[in-house]
Amino acid sequence: MGISLFQKSLRDMISGMRSNRNNEEKYIQKTMEDIKKELKSTDMKVKTVALQKLTYLNMLGFDMSWAAFHVVEVMSTPKLLHKVVGYQAAAQSFNESTDVMLLVTNLIKKDLISTNPTERSIGLDCLSNIVTLDLARDLIADVYGLLSSSSAPCRKRSALVLYCCFLKYPDALRPCFKGLVEHLEDNEQSVVCSVVSVLCELVIRHPHNYLEMAPLFYRLLLSSTNNWMTMKLLKIFGALTPLEPRLTKKIAEPLKGIMQQTMAKSLLFECITTVCSGMTANEDIVEMALGHLKDFVLDSDPNLKYLGFKALEQFVRHIPQSVLRFGNAALMCLSTADPTIRSSALRVISGLVSKKDLKEVVVRILDHVPAADTAYRNELSDVVLKICRREKYALVSDFSWYLNVLVELARVPGSTHGKEIAFQITDIACRVEAMREDAVQAVRTLLIDPSVVEMAGEGGSIAEVLEATAWITGEYASCVEHPKETIESLLQPGILKLPCRVQAMYVQAILKVFVHVSNDLLCEDDDDNNDGGGGEEGEEDVEIDKNAVVGELSDLITAHVGQYACSPDPEVVERMSQLKAVLSLRTGDQASDGPTYRRLHSIISQELLPMSGKAQRKVPRPEDLEVVTPIMEEFYDEDVDGTAAEHEVGDGEAADGPEAERAAQFRSADAAQALTEATDEQRRHAQEHAKNQLKEHRQRHGIFYLAGEDKEAEGGAVDGDDGSAGLPEQSANSETGSADGALAGQQGGGMDSAYSKMRKKKSRHRKKSAVVEVRRDEDDGMAADSPVKQARNALDVNPLAPLESGEGLPEVEAYPTHYGAGEGGIPTYDAAPTTAMAAGPEADLIGDAAPREAKRGKEKRRRRKHKSRKHQQEDAGAEAAAE
Amino acid sequence: MIRCFLVINNFGKPRLMKFYERLSNEERQRVIESAYGLVSKRLEDLCNFVEDDSLFGGETQLIYRHFATLYFIVICDKAESELGILDLIQVYVETLDKSFENVCELDIIFNQQKAGLILDQMVTGGLVLETNSQEIVSKYKELERNMKQQERELKSPVASSPRTF
C-alpha cells in the first residue's frame, strides 16, 4: 500500500515529462524503473496505473514486451476499469510470439460468454486486436455464437471480429459463412452493414468464389438506404464485374439511378470507380460516369480533383480513347501546388499521349520545369524520358527534335536522370546512322558551354551526360563542324573537376577528333570523305594552309593537355600520354605525316556498333585464359580500391568525400607512375596490337556484334557502369600492360561485374534502410511468407460449397469454474467436458451458474427467440456433435 | 481494411496510435515516423491523400486531416472509400469534441484511454463499426456507466472476500 501513496499517476508522469523537457530521457529512465517496481506490486491498483504509464511510454517507442505477463495479470482482474487498461495494453503490445498468449484464451472466453454487454464488447474488441491462430481456433465458436445474440451492437461487432478470426484461421470461414450471410437479412440495418463490410473484404480478395452471390448483392443494392453500405456493395460489384461481364448490364440501371440521385460525393465517386473497374464496355454508363468525373476533375476542392484523376488513371488504362478530352485538364493541373495531384495528372498524361501530340505534350510538360522545385523537376524529366523511350521510342517521330529535348533535360539543374539521358543520346546516335550528325550538333551546345561543365563539376548527374557527349563527339568526329572550337572546348580547364572517367573520355575524344581532322586535311586520296573539318579552308594554298591548321591544332592541344598530368586517375594520365605520343609523331612534313595519320585514322574510324550486353558470353573462352587469378595481387587490389573510391567521390555519395579522394589520389598516383613507365613507343605498339586483335576478333565473331535485340543492348548499357558495353574499344586499350585485347576485356568485365555487384549490394542496402519495411510478424519462424498473407491465400476457398463431413467449427469448451481465484492470479485452464457448438449457451450457464442465476430467465427467452437460428445451425452442429 | 489510425502532433509526437495489424514496436515507430514525414511537409490547402508505396508494402493509401495541432492519419487499403475515411476522421474528431467539450491536444494526451475507447466504438479490427457520431458517444457513455456501476457493485462484496493477488 506504501507505493500507492507515492505512486505517480499517468497524469503526473505526463506532466513530469512535459516539465522535464531538457532531460526527458533521464526522467523516463527513472520512471521506467519505478514502473518495473510498481508492476510487481500486489496492489492491483498500483499495477494498473503502472501498466497505464507503460502503455503510454510504449506509444512513444519504448519497449514493453517484457511486461506481457503483467499485462495478463491486469487483464484478469474482474474490475472493468482495470481490465480495460489491461486490454488496451495487450492490444498495443501483444503479437504472435507473445508467450503468455495461452493465458489469455480463457479470459476472453469468459468475456465473450458474459451477460454483461460491456464485457462482451471489450472482449470482442480485445480479441480483434490480439487474435492469433490459436486464439481464433479456441474462440471462434463463441464469436460465432454471439452473431445470434439478441443485442444488435453485439451482433454487429461479432461479425467484424469474425473476419479478424478468418484472417488468422481461414478454416473457419466455410463453417461460419452460412450463418454470416443469413445476417444479411437481419432486421437491424447496422448489422447488415457490418456483414456487408466483411463480405466486401472477402470478395475483394477472392472475387471468383462469390460470383454466385451476385443476385443477393443486387437485391441489397436495390434496397440499401445506407450510403456506407451502398459504397461497400459497389466495391463488391467493382470486383465481380470484371469476372462476369453480364453483371454489367444488370447493375447499369441501379447505378445510373444512384448517380442521378445521390448528393453524396463519396457515393458518386464509388459509382465512377465501379464503372471504370469493370464496366467500360457499356458506353452509356461510361459516358455518364465521365460526365460526373469531369466535375471532380474541374472541382476546386483538391480532394475531389485528386480522386478525379485517380479514377481517370483507371479509365486511361482501359479505354484511353474515350478520356482523351481530359488531356488538357491534366496538362493544366501540372501547375498546381499539390504534388499528389500532379503525380496523378502526369500518369494520366503519359497514358494519353500519342504519336501525333507527343511534341506538344512534351513542350507543355517542359514548360513547367523552370518554375518547379527539384523533386518536381525530376519527376517531370522522368515522365518525358519514360514516355519517349516507351516501346523503343515508338512515339518519337522526329529524333532530331528529341535529341534537343534530351540536351535540354540534361541542363535541368539538380537533375538525377543524367544516366538515362546519356544512355538515350548514345543509344540514338549508335543505332540511327542518319541521326549522328544531329546528335553531334545537339551535344555540341553542351560541350562548348562552360557553365554546363561548371554545373557538372559541382556534382549532379550531368557529368554522365558529358561523358556521353565526349564519346559521341569523338566517335563521330567526322560530323564535327568546327574542329578547333570543339578541341578547345574539350580542353576547358573546368573539366578537371569532373569525375575521372569523364576526363578520360574527354582526352580520348581530343585524340579522335585530332586524328580525324589531320587525316582529312593531309591525306589527298581521301577526297570523297571531305565533309569534315577541312570545309572552311581557302581553296588556294591548300597544302600549306592544311598543314598549318594541323600544326595549330597540335600546338593547341600540346599547350593545354598538360593539365591532365596531375590527374589522380591513371587512366586519364595514360590517355594523355597516348595523345602526346600521337602529337609527337607529327614531323610537319605532309608527305610523311599523311600515311601516319591515315593509319591512325583507319583504327579510329572503325565503327562501333551497339553491342548486345550478352555478347561477351557468346564468345568462346580460350582454354588457356585465366580470368580469376589476379595478374599481380597488389595491383589488382589497388585498382579496385581506386575505382571504388573514385566512384564514391564522383557520385557524391561518400560522406567522407575529400578524404576518400585524397586517399585515392595517393594510391593511384603510385599506380599511374608505375603504368607510365613504359615508353610511348611501347604503348603505341601495344595499343595498335590490341586494336588489331580486336579487329580480327570482330571479324571472326562478327555475327555476335550485330545490333542485338533492344532489350539486350539496354541491359548492356545499364550493366556497364562506366559505359564499357557501349564503348568497347576503351576497355581494350585501357590495359596497355597486357597486350591481349580479349584478355583485357574479360578482365575488365570481371572486375566490372564484381564492382557492380558490390554497388548493387550497396544500393540495395541503402534502399532497405530508406524504405519503411513493414513486415507482419513472422516470429513463429515457420515460413518466409507472413502468416497474414498465408491466411489470405488460405481464405481463397469457396464458402458456398456444402460443408464436407468433419468440417466444422471447433467445439466450445466450457470455461473453468474457479477461474481467476487461483493462487498468484494466474488464470488456469480447465479441461471441462466439451459440448457441441450449438449447445454453447447452456454450457455457459453450467459453467458459471452462481452469478448468473438471475439472468437465466432472460437467457432462456433469448434462446427461444433464436430457436429457428439454431435449427439452421444443426447442419454444422450435428457434425460437430457427432465427434 | 484500415491498417492503422494515428494521431500525431505537429512535432511528430504520437498522441494516439491504434494498429489493426500486428507489428513490432520498431515497425510501428517507423510507420509513425514516415507517416509524419509524409504529412508534415504538405501545405494546408492540398488534398488529404498521400500515395506512398513504402508504407505497409504498397497497396495502401494514407488519408489524413489536420486540425489545429494534430494530424489524424488513417492508413488503409483499397477496400475503403477515400471520402468515406475522410468523413470517418471527421466523425471521430466530432465525437471527441462532444465527449471532451472543445477537444484539444491536451485532452487526448491526458485521456489516452478514453480517446482509444471512443475509437474502439467506431472501428473494430480494422473495419468500420459505426459512423454515427451520436451513436458512438452514447455507446461510449454506456460503457463508461457500466464500468463505474460494476466498480460500485464490486466494492461491497470485495470487503467480504478479499482477492489475493
Side-chain angles (χ1 to χ4, degrees), chain A residues 395-590:
Chain A
L395 296 175
V396 183
S397 44
D398 182 352
F399 277 95
S400 169
W401 163 82
Y402 183 52
L403 283 166
N404 285 312
V405 169
L406 286 174
V407 169
E408 212 176 303
L409 286 176
R411 285 166 174 275
V412 170
S415 167
T416 53
H417 294 99
K419 199 167 182 178
E420 174 69 16
I421 296 170
F423 169 76
Q424 291 198 12
I425 296 182
T426 318
D427 197 30
I428 293 172
C430 273
R431 282 171 201 282
V432 195
E433 212 176 332
M435 277 300 118
R436 283 180 194 158
E437 205 161 315
D438 290 294
V440 173
Q441 291 310 319
V443 295
R444 177 176 161 263
T445 55
L446 287 178
L447 203 62
I448 61 172
D449 189 346
S451 67
V452 172
V453 179
E454 212 167 285
M455 217 158 94
E458 287 160 9
S461 64
I462 194 171
E464 313 218 21
V465 185
L466 286 181
E467 190 182 3
T469 297
W471 185 78
I472 289 171
T473 313
E475 187 57 31
Y476 306 114
S478 58
C479 304
V480 171
E481 274 177 13
H482 311 285
K484 194 172 169 213
E485 179 203 68
T486 308
I487 289 183
E488 269 174 358
S489 50
L490 284 169
L491 286 165
Q492 288 172 60
I495 291 161
L496 284 174
K497 288 184 198 143
L498 301 183
C500 291
R501 69 204 141 89
V502 184
Q503 288 181 26
M505 198 60 86
Y506 266 70
V507 180
Q508 195 70 18
I510 298 171
L511 175 73
K512 284 183 186 170
V513 174
F514 176 71
V515 168
H516 192 87
V517 172
S518 308
N519 176 57
D520 270 1
L521 289 174
L522 300 177
C523 302
E524 286 133 22
D525 51 336
D526 224 14
D527 279 343
D528 51 335
N529 192 13
N530 208 5
D531 55 349
E536 304 151 56
E537 308 307 324
E539 288 301 308
E540 305 110 57
D541 290 332
V542 177
E543 292 189 10
I544 300 159
D545 252 348
K546 280 181 179 170
N547 217 345
V549 169
V550 176
E552 199 188 321
L553 288 178
S554 166
D555 293 345
L556 175 74
I557 299 171
T558 324
H560 289 97
V561 80
Q563 63 181 341
Y564 291 113
C566 54
S567 166
D569 190 42
E571 177 84 14
V572 177
V573 179
E574 176 68 32
R575 291 193 188 186
M576 185 207 70
S577 310
Q578 265 173 35
L579 179 56
K580 273 188 173 165
V582 170
L583 288 175
S584 69
L585 285 177
R586 207 177 80 89
T587 57
D589 174 20
Q590 197 190 342

Side-chain angles (χ1 to χ4, degrees), chain B residues 61-72:
Chain B
Q61 45 193 345
L62 186 153
I63 302 171
Y64 75 100
R65 263 177 193 277
H66 189 202
F67 292 98
T69 59
L70 294 174
Y71 288 100
F72 290 77

Side-chain angles (χ1 to χ4, degrees), chain A residues 352-416:
Chain A
L352 287 180
V353 70
S354 68
K355 206 169 178 164
K356 223 166 47 194
D357 55 13
L358 174 76
K359 266 191 188 181
E360 195 203 328
V361 170
V362 168
V363 168
R364 286 188 67 177
I365 294 178
L366 293 182
D367 274 350
H368 295 282
V369 170
D373 60 12
T374 313
Y376 187 33
R377 268 201 292 258
N378 276 319
E379 200 178 348
L380 290 170
S381 308
D382 186 52
V383 168
V384 172
L385 289 169
K386 281 208 177 111
I387 291 177
C388 293
R389 192 180 166 179
R390 200 188 291 158
E391 290 161 32
K392 301 180 192 165
Y393 308 97
L395 296 175
V396 183
S397 44
D398 182 352
F399 277 95
S400 169
W401 163 82
Y402 183 52
L403 283 166
N404 285 312
V405 169
L406 286 174
V407 169
E408 212 176 303
L409 286 176
R411 285 166 174 275
V412 170
S415 167
T416 53

Side-chain angles (χ1 to χ4, degrees), chain A residues 26-42:
Chain A
K26 213 171 155 196
Y27 180 82
I28 291 178
Q29 214 176 353
K30 170 83 180 51
T31 316
M32 211 49 139
E33 278 162 25
D34 290 345
I35 290 174
K36 276 181 192 164
K37 270 182 231 148
E38 287 160 17
L39 278 176
K40 291 190 187 117
S41 154
T42 47

Side-chain angles (χ1 to χ4, degrees), chain A residues 28 36 139 161 222 316 343 498 505 511 551 588 745 748 754 775-776 847:
Chain A
I28 291 178
K36 276 181 192 164
L139 296 173
V161 177
L222 289 185
V316 169
S343 308
L498 301 183
M505 198 60 86
L511 175 73
R775 278 182 304 104
R776 282 128 191 158

Side-chain angles (χ1 to χ4, degrees), chain A residues 109-283:
Chain A
K109 194 188 258 306
K110 192 181 168 225
D111 287 329
L112 294 186
I113 53 187
S114 157
T115 47
N116 181 340
T118 311
E119 275 184 4
R120 278 198 311 243
S121 103
I122 63 170
L124 278 171
D125 253 336
C126 184
L127 178 62
S128 77
N129 285 320
I130 64 169
V131 61
T132 60
L133 173 60
D134 287 333
L135 273 181
R137 197 187 291 128
D138 292 339
L139 296 173
I140 189 128
D142 295 289
V143 180
Y144 184 72
L146 286 178
L147 202 55
S148 42
S149 143
S150 61
S151 130
C154 182
R155 294 204 295 274
K156 194 161 74 171
R157 207 182 278 266
S158 54
L160 301 183
V161 177
L162 264 184
Y163 177 68
C164 297
C165 297
F166 293 158
L167 285 180
K168 298 285 172 187
Y169 178 46
D171 290 348
L173 172 63
R174 278 164 47 74
C176 290
F177 195 74
K178 200 172 161 215
L180 189 66
V181 171
E182 272 164 18
H183 282 277
L184 286 175
E185 265 127 54
D186 200 289
N187 40 21
E188 191 64 47
Q189 266 294 304
S190 61
V191 179
V192 181
C193 186
S194 42
V195 175
V196 169
S197 291
V198 172
L199 287 172
C200 176
E201 295 287 333
L202 290 169
V203 173
I204 283 179
R205 295 207 197 293
H206 307 288
H208 51 276
N209 292 329
Y210 300 88
L211 273 172
E212 282 171 53
M213 288 177 71
L216 187 61
F217 293 134
Y218 179 73
R219 274 204 303 282
L220 280 168
L221 185 67
L222 289 185
S223 63
S224 166
T225 52
N226 176 340
N227 279 352
W228 192 266
M229 188 168 106
T230 315
M231 285 197 286
K232 289 281 175 197
L233 286 167
L234 287 173
K235 288 242 184 247
I236 291 177
F237 279 112
L240 292 179
T241 44
L243 300 180
E244 178 53 274
R246 280 175 299 177
L247 269 175
T248 308
K249 223 170 162 186
K250 190 92 175 153
I251 66 164
E253 282 312 312
L255 259 185
K256 276 185 198 169
I258 297 172
M259 278 200 267
Q260 264 161 6
Q261 283 157 17
T262 183
M263 300 297 291
K265 289 278 182 195
S266 48
L267 187 53
L268 189 57
F269 180 69
E270 222 44 72
C271 291
I272 295 172
T273 19
T274 310
V275 171
C276 65
S277 62
M279 301 173 68
T280 43
N282 188 334
E283 283 178 21

